[in-house]
Amino acid sequence: MEERNFICICCPMGCSLTVVMKGEEVVEVAGNTCKRGDIYARNEVINPMRMVTSTVKVIGGRENVVSVKTKEDIPKGKIFECVRALKDVKVNAPVYMGDTIMKNVANTGVDIVATKNVECKEA
Amino acid sequence: MKEYDIVIIGGGPAGLAAAVSAKKNGIKNILILERDKELGGILNQCIHNGFGLHTFKEELTGPEYAEKFIQQVKEGKIEYKRNTMVTDISPKKVVTAMNHEEGLFEIQAKAVVLAMGCRERARGALNIPGYRPAGIFSAGTAQRFVNMEGYLPGREVVILGSGDIGLIMARRMTFEGAKVKVVAELMPYSGGLKRNIVQCLDDYGIPLKLRHTVVDIKGKKRLEGVVLAEVDERGKPISGTEEFYSCDTLLLSVGLIPENELSMAMGVEINPVTMGPEVNEILETSMEGVFACGNVLHVHDLVDFVSQEAATAGKNAALYVKMGNTRKRKGKKILLNAKEGIRYTVPGAIHVENMDENLMVRFRVDNVYKNCYINMYLNDERVMHKKCLVLTPGEMEEIKLIKEDLLSYPNLKTITLKIEEA
């Protein structure tokens, strides 16, 4: 039996949750004061997912960088692989919101898309 | 002098939403004045997700949220000037501004919407001893460097204050390869949203030290380290608890202050608690035809509420332009008293006859309260007793006032809000 602790983020209450695991299986969730806490804890131990937001360099744009995001949430364990993959990426201006910057980042099956418009630098 | 029906000072989330709402309410002649090179305000540097859950039912990043409103401004053919700094607004609503193309110019407005936002509390306000080396930034400045200019301010970071921008920057700097050693918070509770503590600190193993502050800054040219110490009940450092952290960067996330120099110079009354204008039920300031919304009015945690508030201000500015003085402040003024546990309410006073059917009153509490009740009294009678599992100063609360209920209450003089612990 393994115990893992979380703070629930479903509401400002911030309950301290304890999840009792037997191997990959959740045996018990304790410390939650509502149903949502139970669901959050179960997702959080089995497969926590996060959206990753960062920036990549832009060549010839009005700005030096453009903000980007993973189009969907990716597994929490893949976050650093994802930001490392973006480290040396450079894109040419113009870049528009929703443009795909990188396909299948860190083998997650999720694309990186721009979240901002960066026009070309005026000559 | 050029004339506009409504001049909006600031093209951030509040200004944009106010403009869109004024347009929807029938005003065509609107001008937004923005000092930065693009519309969108602080959202442009808030590249993280979590915006718009209330408004658009999807989780957007800051720039994406801003773009939704910028599109509406463009579609509505609402005029705006960027790179334009407003230097003065006269009591007669003559707006003085300047930019590179037009130099100094004046505009006559029928109504003004104040939407200048807020700025960060700086080191000078904190009395931290020590030298003044390079490497000390407000969290928002660092955010702009990293997310918009493409520079990393440092490699080893300590953050003082647990406001949301500081928490977001702890994660952001970590992504960019910096080592964030600790976040120190003077208070016994965090000033930021709980979900930011989990997603920005806990996810990356960054410790949060409550009841701790910076007591010394080391380094002459570049920051070399800071000394943290635990503080007692009164916020005084406890001798013997000092601990040295080597770092080249200190980020300050120690509060936001509404930016009201223009409002004050104009003669608008300021609430000493919020540091924003005193407003009534239509978000009109102490000066007729001058409205306020967003962070210039009081600092918000969620942009969705800024947009809602700004839409109200924009609508009322439009009604003022259309109806002018015929829509006078009707009836007597009822004060909203913020008592035990409540720091302030916005608005602070209302004219019931002049209200819409419903009115959202927003407020903050002064401490963390668990299993408590929010109470509302009309005169001396308790009319609301709402149980809350938890209230914290970092999260803004709201209650709805219903016009009919207030109108039918005999001889209403005051509305009082207070917290009662169970």
Side-chain angles (χ1 to χ4, degrees), chain A residues 81-107:
Chain A
E81 216 178 307
C82 171
V83 291
R84 271 195 297 271
L86 291 173
K87 188 168 171 277
D88 296 314
V89 174
K90 293 188 172 89
V91 293
N92 289 307
V95 187
Y96 297 108
M97 187 175 285
D99 283 1
T100 302
I101 302 293
M102 181 186 277
K103 283 208 169 287
N104 186 23
V105 68
N107 282 317

Side-chain angles (χ1 to χ4, degrees), chain A residues 9 13 50 55 64 69 76, chain B residues 64 149 172 198 203 390:
Chain A
I9 60 171
M13 185 77 182
R50 299 283 188 266
T55 51
N64 297 330
K69 68 173 182 185
K76 201 171 132 183
Chain B
E64 291 171 317
E149 320 276 342
R172 187 73 190 104
V198 173
D203 272 5
V390 69

Side-chain angles (χ1 to χ4, degrees), chain B residues 184-334:
Chain B
E185 168 60 56
L186 181 73
M187 304 304 286
Y189 49 82
S190 161
L193 301 173
K194 201 114 215 171
R195 69 160 185 259
N196 283 337
I197 294 182
V198 173
Q199 293 184 12
C200 299
L201 301 187
D202 297 354
D203 272 5
Y204 305 97
I206 300 166
L208 171 62
K209 287 192 166 238
L210 298 173
R211 286 187 195 279
H212 277 73
T213 193
V214 172
V215 293
D216 200 7
I217 286 173
K218 305 283 192 191
K220 279 192 177 173
K221 279 192 162 169
R222 177 77 197 196
L223 182 66
E224 286 164 14
V226 299
V227 178
L228 294 190
E230 200 178 331
V231 298
D232 63 18
E233 304 289 318
R234 293 167 305 140
K236 300 278 174 236
I238 300 170
S239 176
T241 62
E242 297 88 354
E243 202 179 343
F244 178 76
Y245 285 81
S246 96
C247 60
D248 60 16
T249 305
L250 174 66
L251 300 187
L252 303 175
S253 181
V254 290
L256 300 166
I257 305 163
E259 198 159 341
N260 274 297
E261 282 72 15
L262 284 172
S263 333
M264 283 190 271
M266 187 183 189
V268 163
E269 273 174 42
I270 301 292
N271 178 313
V273 181
T274 59
M275 303 290 284
E278 294 277 11
V279 291
N280 62 15
E281 68 290 338
I282 54 172
L283 301 181
E284 186 181 35
T285 67
S286 61
M287 300 183 78
E288 195 186 287
V290 179
F291 299 81
C293 54
N295 282 351
V296 82
L297 177 55
H298 57 140
V299 175
H300 295 64
D301 343 299
L302 297 179
V303 72
D304 301 78
F305 294 150
V306 169
S307 301
Q308 284 172 20
E309 192 177 271
T312 305
K315 183 185 91 178
N316 286 316
L319 288 174
Y320 175 80
V321 168
K322 287 196 275 193
M323 299 160 81
N325 281 335
T326 58
R327 187 167 171 256
K328 277 221 163 112
R329 296 170 192 192
K330 284 181 277 181
K332 62 175 191 293
K333 188 158 131 181
I334 308 284

